[in-house]
Amino acid sequence: MSSEGGRAWNRREFMGAAALLAMVVGVPAGASIWSKVEDGDAPTDRQRAMIREVAQIVIPKTGTPGAGEVGTGDFVILALAHGLDGTRDPGAAAAIPAGVPAPRRPDGSLRYLDWLEGELDRRAKGNWAGKDAAAKTAALAALDAEAYAGDGRAPHPWKAIKGLILTGYYTSEVGGSQELRYEPVPGRFDPALPNPPGTRAISNDWTAVDFG
Amino acid sequence: MSEFDFDAIVVGSGITGGWAAKELTEAGLKVLMLERGRMIEHQTGYGNETKAPWEMPFRGVGDADLYAREYQVQVRNRHFNEFTQDHFVNDAVNPYVNAPGTDFTWYRSYQLGGRSLTWGRQSYRWSDYDFGANKRDGQGTDWPIRYADVAPWYDKVEDFIGVSGAAEGLPQLPDGKFQPPMALNVVEQATREKIMARWPERRLTIGRTANLTVAKDEEGRAACQNRSICARGCSYGAYFSTQSSTLPAAQKTGRLTLMTDAVVEKVDYDPRTRRVTGVRWIDTATKTRKAATARMVFLNAGSFNSVHLMLNSASEAMPRGLANSSGVLGTHIMDHASTLSAIALMPGYEGYTTFGNRPTGVVIPRFRNMDALDGKGHSRGFSYQGGALQSGWTRGKREAGIGADYKNGLQAPGPWRMVLVAFADCVPRATNRLTLSRTKADANGLPALEIAFAFGAEEKAALADAKAEAAAMLTHAGGQVIMGLDTPNPGGGAIHEMGGARMGLDPKTSVLDRFSRAHDAGNLFVTDGAQMSSSACQNPSLTYMALTARAAAHAVERLKAGAL
């Protein structure tokens, strides 16, 4: 049951922690969904802390809270466990360079958190979580730049994780209604408004979400 | 007391079933409407309508693991997500069979209202280019009707359901009785003008959509709030659905009996009278079998399910299926060949944005093969739907970057882009057909439906033409095309499946007559998409509704004349 950096969570503990998290960050009625994270996909303590911090570095606190602060790390864990954005596709590991570990599930899909943990430690030449903020950010920035190199179209495991961080953040109440605008009942359609600097986009512009 | 339980039985409660029930009850008939799925009450039944993403377990995206196991087909529908998943069937529970070589995506909604809850609401008249298409190029069988036969019924339907749109005076897309149009956005308006300047016969116009721009207070329907979450159900009643529109009208008469959880397994036929006598169904709530008799039966189960029911209603007198003396029942099924013809970046409009989620896109009506045959390897038409939009936060998934600058960059509306999706006429072919599976049963133990379907050279040629023309138009309008496709989406992708019980002049080569009535059974009407003899390239639902109202009027006339 043990793995590097801490023991694996069992489902009951994970649900308990999630319920606590829900109370802290105001995620409503969310606790039941954690029952859907199978034991094999439950993160270690270290991984859970890592993905929270990674989310916070990608979307940091500015005038509004960052992604880690609003529970995006746990959303990413849930999303990966359920294969959102195609993350159960067995093909994902193919994008990992030869010689770099690509931990997989029995169905061939990549264990993204295991991969990211190893990847960040590799780039940090040691314990990424123990480095200072600048070093952690630098390692992540290098990974991001590499993933989007060239025309940026090639698949890469980091893109999948970053995509889920964005989904988690901009569909959270803070990301969706404070960082961006949430307009559930516009009541009208204005076809040509000025778009001065500082205009905040609408998070529930569903056409943009689908096709943007 | 009548020897029949009802004057009419309507099988299905979707777009056409609701219309049949409304028209027949308003004419004074006592009607039973049977719906295979569950009850969904207007307003109170739309459980996810007002939820925010953060109130959903999977933030509105949905549980991909569940979808991979139980919604393998439905998940491919653009309108399927965590908010709407309960308005689509569970594929694992409701199997069908794709014949070898077929990849048909059959999108279904088994509930009160059927797909009227989830439809795209685009409402277009067909023209004589469409009703005359089969005769003109010799493919399929000639329609026994023309535009003039349907026009007054289009008027009636548009007036009742409420269709917003702009009159353009185009012969290939006749104008209707429109509510005021929704507005083109700034990029669409400029693109319209540039296309018209270069190609006067091409007209980018706002989608004609069954969303109210003016409230219909007398029917308890409010104007559209520009939320664009229609498929969740709309408590405002602002788009046409059975629940918002036809069902209240039918119920108001006091002559409608509605039963949900009623899967019809057979239509009974009396060879002595050459009439259908009623239907039998499984009450899935109580797991019991029930039956009722009626003077007439309207099949409105959805194109493929109506055909499925007719095939399953084979009898000693009609061993190949109900009303299938011609042998063409199940054949000549169609769906529009559709694909994403172009996406273009539209620079120059950075100073503009919009407010509100307009629930329709734009349309560029057909311009090929009208008075001159100018298709490139195809003899019919294609049209486009799409629109201009500003990228949102999801663009960040394609962009390098982390940190505050990256976050701040995603706060603003993104670049404008324009999308054009082509819908091409589908040629009616005998080889595209529905049969009963010999190996697989459906959820109720009946033979499952098997679908054999493939697009041919005509559709592929049309989509190649459409791709080239989309690129030409958007480039001319100042766009930078970044991608375009000319391969059709799998059959069913347009969600315009139709045919299988086609209308025609000759009982030897068609199933239905000019009033959607079976040649072989004078009191059986099939008024959903199954009746279609060609596909046009416009969305077909408005035509289904018009033909349903027309058939109902004819049925009532015959009933009053004592002919039924």
Side-chain angles (χ1 to χ4, degrees):
Chain A
M1 286 293 287
S2 64
S3 62
E4 185 189 357
R7 65 186 173 81
W9 290 46
N10 66 38
R11 193 185 310 180
R12 177 174 298 182
E13 289 168 321
F14 198 64
M15 286 170 64
L20 191 64
L21 172 89
M23 287 166 57
V24 172
V25 302
V27 178
S32 64
I33 64 172
W34 297 103
S35 67
K36 294 180 178 176
V37 175
E38 298 296 331
D39 288 351
D41 286 314
T44 63
D45 294 338
R46 186 175 190 261
Q47 287 174 336
R48 187 166 180 236
M50 170 196 71
I51 192 63
R52 180 194 187 282
E53 191 163 10
V54 165
Q56 187 72 12
I57 293 170
V58 172
I59 304 286
K61 181 173 184 172
T62 52
T64 56
E69 295 169 78
V70 302
T72 300
D74 282 349
F75 171 77
V76 173
I77 292 165
L78 177 74
L80 289 171
H82 285 258
L84 271 65
D85 283 5
T87 50
R88 278 295 181 105
D89 179 352
I96 296 174
V100 175
R104 298 171 188 247
R105 290 189 186 83
D107 66 6
S109 62
L110 183 65
R111 290 192 183 279
Y112 282 82
L113 290 180
D114 291 355
W115 167 79
L116 182 63
E117 186 178 31
E119 185 67 17
L120 290 178
D121 285 347
R122 188 174 70 82
R123 287 171 184 275
K125 297 185 169 49
N127 178 13
W128 178 82
K131 303 292 182 187
D132 63 26
K136 283 193 263 197
T137 300
L140 200 57
L143 174 60
D144 184 80
E146 201 172 286
Y148 286 88
D151 67 3
R153 292 187 180 185
H156 193 285
W158 167 246
K159 288 185 183 176
I161 294 174
K162 184 166 127 175
L164 291 171
I165 290 170
L166 295 193
T167 298
Y169 182 67
Y170 291 108
T171 61
S172 74
E173 187 163 10
V174 165
S177 70
Q178 295 178 27
E179 173 66 12
L180 304 182
R181 281 187 293 164
Y182 180 67
E183 298 284 355
V185 189
R188 67 181 192 281
F189 177 66
D190 296 327
L193 294 172
N195 184 34
T199 301
R200 285 188 300 142
I202 295 171
S203 68
N204 62 313
D205 178 346
W206 303 112
T207 308
V209 170
D210 283 353
F211 291 109
Chain B
M1 188 174 167
S2 166
E3 61 181 306
F4 295 101
D5 299 323
F6 295 91
D7 294 319
I9 293 172
V10 175
V11 180
S13 69
I15 283 174
T16 63
W19 262 98
K22 169 187 175 306
E23 294 298 290
L24 295 171
T25 54
E26 289 183 343
L29 275 59
K30 183 180 163 193
V31 175
L32 170 65
M33 182 160 72
L34 296 169
E35 164 51 49
R36 67 184 299 152
R38 68 191 172 99
M39 169 64 72
I40 294 182
E41 298 277 5
H42 187 40
Q43 299 173 328
T44 57
Y46 308 143
N48 293 330
E49 179 187 357
T50 61
K51 287 186 178 167
W54 50 89
E55 296 175 303
M56 302 298 288
F58 289 87
R59 301 291 180 85
V61 178
D63 181 353
D65 183 37
L66 172 70
Y67 299 163
R69 283 184 280 111
E70 299 187 12
Y71 295 88
Q72 306 96 319
V73 176
Q74 309 308 307
V75 72
R76 294 160 76 176
N77 186 318
R78 188 193 146 215
H79 296 292
F80 180 94
N81 58 40
E82 191 175 20
F83 297 105
T84 63
Q85 69 184 48
D86 293 341
H87 291 173
F88 291 85
V89 301
N90 181 313
D91 291 306
V93 176
N94 297 282
Y96 63 96
V97 178
N98 270 322
T102 294
D103 176 22
F104 197 96
T105 50
W106 189 18
Y107 298 118
R108 294 165 291 165
S109 296
Y110 292 170
Q111 68 243 344
L112 183 66
R115 287 187 292 190
S116 78
L117 285 182
T118 56
W119 72 309
R121 307 167 307 285
Q122 296 295 295
S123 300
Y124 299 102
R125 293 187 178 209
W126 288 23
S127 74
D128 274 338
Y129 293 113
D130 306 309
F131 291 111
N134 289 357
K135 185 174 185 182
R136 183 193 203 188
D137 67 15
Q139 302 186 89
T141 195
D142 188 18
W143 280 90
I145 54 174
R146 290 294 185 267
Y147 179 70
D149 297 301
V150 193
W153 303 99
Y154 279 136
D155 288 348
K156 178 186 176 91
V157 169
E158 287 163 345
D159 195 44
F160 185 74
I161 71 174
V163 176
S164 65
E168 298 281 1
L170 303 172
Q172 70 273 39
L173 197 71
D175 295 330
K177 295 186 71 177
F178 297 139
Q179 290 205 339
M182 294 184 169
L184 296 174
N185 67 37
V186 59
V187 178
E188 294 160 348
Q189 181 65 36
T191 303
R192 168 187 163 95
E193 289 162 13
K194 288 176 180 170
I195 289 174
M196 270 172 69
R198 167 71 179 76
W199 294 277
E201 75 284 8
R202 299 184 189 183
R203 193 69 46 84
L204 186 156
T205 187
I206 190 68
R208 297 171 178 176
T209 185
N211 293 78
L212 301 182
T213 49
V214 177
K216 290 168 76 81
D217 293 328
E218 69 283 8
E219 292 161 28
R221 300 179 58 196
C224 177
Q225 301 298 305
N226 288 278
R227 299 183 297 169
S228 200
I229 51 173
C230 310
R232 300 184 195 181
C234 179
S235 291
Y236 295 90
Y239 75 88
F240 167 80
S241 68
T242 296
Q243 275 89 337
S244 71
S245 185
T246 46
L247 182 62
Q251 288 177 320
K252 194 174 164 187
T253 66
R255 288 186 282 273
L256 179 72
T257 300
L258 167 64
M259 290 190 191
T260 55
D261 306 298
V263 178
V264 176
E265 52 181 348
K266 186 166 190 179
V267 180
D268 286 328
Y269 173 75
D270 181 353
R272 193 174 44 82
T273 60
R274 299 194 69 220
R275 295 281 191 271
V276 294
T277 56
V279 307
R280 298 166 188 276
W281 70 92
I282 300 167
D283 181 331
T284 56
T286 61
K287 309 261 189 267
T288 55
R289 284 193 152 78
K290 295 181 176 173
T293 59
R295 295 177 191 279
M296 67 179 83
V297 173
F298 269 66
L299 296 188
N300 302 97
S303 307
F304 285 9
N305 276 322
S306 286
V307 172
H308 191 195
L309 176 56
M310 294 169 80
L311 291 169
N312 270 328
S313 296
S315 61
E316 199 174 325
M318 292 184 162
R320 294 193 291 183
L322 179 64
N324 189 25
S325 66
S326 67
V328 299
L329 181 66
T331 67
H332 300 88
I333 58 168
M334 299 161 280
D335 179 47
H336 291 139
S338 62
T339 199
L340 179 55
S341 297
I343 299 179
L345 301 175
M346 302 298 286
Y349 303 95
E350 293 75 16
Y352 294 96
T353 189
T354 60
F355 179 81
N357 293 335
R358 191 188 62 192
T360 185
V362 303
V363 60
I364 301 175
R366 168 183 182 170
F367 48 81
R368 281 283 192 252
N369 294 318
M370 299 207 300
D371 297 327
L373 281 171
D374 57 356
K376 298 173 179 174
H378 60 102
S379 58
R380 301 194 176 187
F382 60 81
S383 60
Y384 301 97
Q385 293 179 24
L389 59 117
Q390 275 178 296
S391 301
W393 57 265
T394 53
R395 71 183 182 276
K397 297 186 180 190
R398 299 189 300 270
E399 295 176 359
I402 61 173
D405 289 347
Y406 175 72
K407 179 185 178 185
N408 291 336
L410 293 175
Q411 195 174 41
W416 283 93
R417 49 177 56 198
M418 190 145 184
V419 176
L420 289 179
V421 175
F423 292 82
D425 235 294
C426 175
V427 171
R429 297 183 180 86
T431 48
N432 285 341
R433 69 179 301 179
L434 306 172
T435 53
L436 295 179
S437 172
R438 295 173 187 276
T439 57
K440 193 158 188 99
D442 69 11
N444 299 294
L446 300 169
L449 195 65
E450 181 163 318
I451 303 171
F453 186 88
F455 291 116
E458 285 235 6
E459 292 86 359
K460 290 170 186 170
L463 292 183
D465 193 2
K467 177 186 175 184
E469 294 303 316
M473 287 188 285
L474 294 182
T475 302
H476 180 75
Q480 300 163 5
V481 175
I482 54 176
M483 73 158 292
L485 302 171
D486 59 6
T487 52
N489 295 323
I495 328 181
H496 298 153
E497 74 271 13
M498 56 185 125
R502 68 184 184 183
M503 238 191 232
L505 294 159
D506 185 351
K508 292 190 181 65
T509 58
S510 60
V511 177
L512 305 174
D513 72 6
R514 58 189 278 105
F515 289 104
S516 317
R517 189 175 66 121
H519 291 301
D520 294 344
N523 62 344
L524 174 66
F525 296 81
V526 184
T527 73
D528 56 23
Q531 69 187 312
M532 306 307 273
S533 304
S534 71
S535 75
C537 60
Q538 299 95 307
N539 309 54
S541 294
L542 186 76
T543 301
Y544 302 167
M545 289 189 253
L547 291 177
T548 299
R550 180 172 177 270
H554 180 69
V556 169
E557 203 174 284
R558 288 180 64 82
L559 185 69
K560 287 181 177 166
L564 295 182

